[in-house]
Amino acid sequence: MARKRTMNYREMRADSEEEEERKEEEEGDEDEDEDEDDDEEEEEAGEAEGGEPAEEGEEGEDEEAPKKKKKVKPKAPPKPKRTRAAKVVRMRVLWGVFSNSHQMVASYDYPKKGDAEAHAKRFNEEKKQGQPFFVQPVKEPIEEKKEEKEEKKKSK
């Protein structure tokens, strides 16, 4: 089954807006040409009647003001948004001894896996209910001392 392609309405809208702007500019150019012709005729008529050209300040400005349209400036492309890099937290691995309900009973450093397994075995022998205790690796964030952080900040 072929998938129906979706139309990009933003591009279509931008294209239609550009066409409208072109039409408005063309119409504006034609109107300006007509205004210039009218002004020349008025000046000629004014010279014939009074000997002086008619002043444009009285009638010319009133007619031109509503016809002038402001040109729309294209908007600047939006700036890419900044994404913050996630702060890297150092992790350390421990061996955790867990009960059957996934509660950590004890934890041992990574090189002491044998001690962790012996602890789990001891608990299993005491309970005599099968294998309710097990050993699993656990990752914990390394907490730096506050003093070390302050020293690092001062050195920067």
Side-chain angles (χ1 to χ4, degrees):
M1 214 172 172
R3 179 179 281 194
K4 182 180 175 183
R5 293 188 178 192
T6 58
M7 296 183 172
N8 190 343
Y9 290 105
R10 289 183 181 172
E11 289 180 5
M12 293 172 62
R13 183 175 180 185
D15 294 339
S16 65
E17 288 177 356
E18 288 177 8
E19 289 176 15
E20 289 176 7
E21 288 178 11
R22 289 182 197 148
K23 288 180 183 177
E24 289 175 5
E25 288 177 6
E26 290 173 3
E27 291 174 3
D29 293 340
E30 292 173 4
D31 291 342
E32 289 176 5
D33 293 339
E34 291 174 6
D35 290 341
E36 290 175 4
D37 293 339
D38 293 340
D39 292 342
E40 290 175 5
E41 291 174 3
E42 289 176 6
E43 289 178 5
E44 291 174 4
E47 289 176 3
E49 292 175 7
E52 294 182 9
E55 294 181 14
E56 293 179 15
E58 296 175 1
E59 295 178 8
E61 291 180 11
D62 295 337
E63 293 177 5
E64 291 179 7
K67 290 183 182 179
K68 289 185 181 178
K69 295 183 181 179
K70 295 180 181 177
K71 292 184 180 179
V72 178
K73 294 181 181 177
K75 293 183 179 178
K79 295 180 181 178
K81 294 183 178 179
R82 286 185 170 181
T83 55
R84 285 192 171 179
K87 186 176 180 182
V88 179
V89 179
R90 292 180 58 200
M91 304 290 275
R92 68 178 187 163
V93 180
L94 303 172
W95 291 108
V97 179
F98 291 89
S99 66
N100 201 20
S101 60
H102 297 282
Q103 292 179 346
M104 189 186 302
V105 178
S107 62
Y108 292 90
D109 291 332
Y110 189 77
K112 298 181 180 180
K113 183 178 180 181
D115 294 341
E117 288 176 347
H119 192 158
K121 187 175 182 181
R122 197 171 351 118
F123 273 130
N124 287 336
E125 290 173 358
E126 290 175 6
K127 300 294 180 182
K128 295 183 182 179
Q129 295 177 358
Q131 299 271 332
F133 292 92
F134 58 94
V135 178
Q136 188 174 4
V138 178
K139 290 184 180 179
E140 285 185 354
I142 297 176
E143 298 175 4
E144 295 182 13
K145 296 179 182 177
K146 293 180 182 178
E147 296 171 4
E148 292 177 9
K149 288 183 181 180
E150 290 175 5
E151 290 176 11
K152 287 181 181 179
K153 290 180 182 178
K154 288 179 183 178
S155 65
K156 290 182 181 180

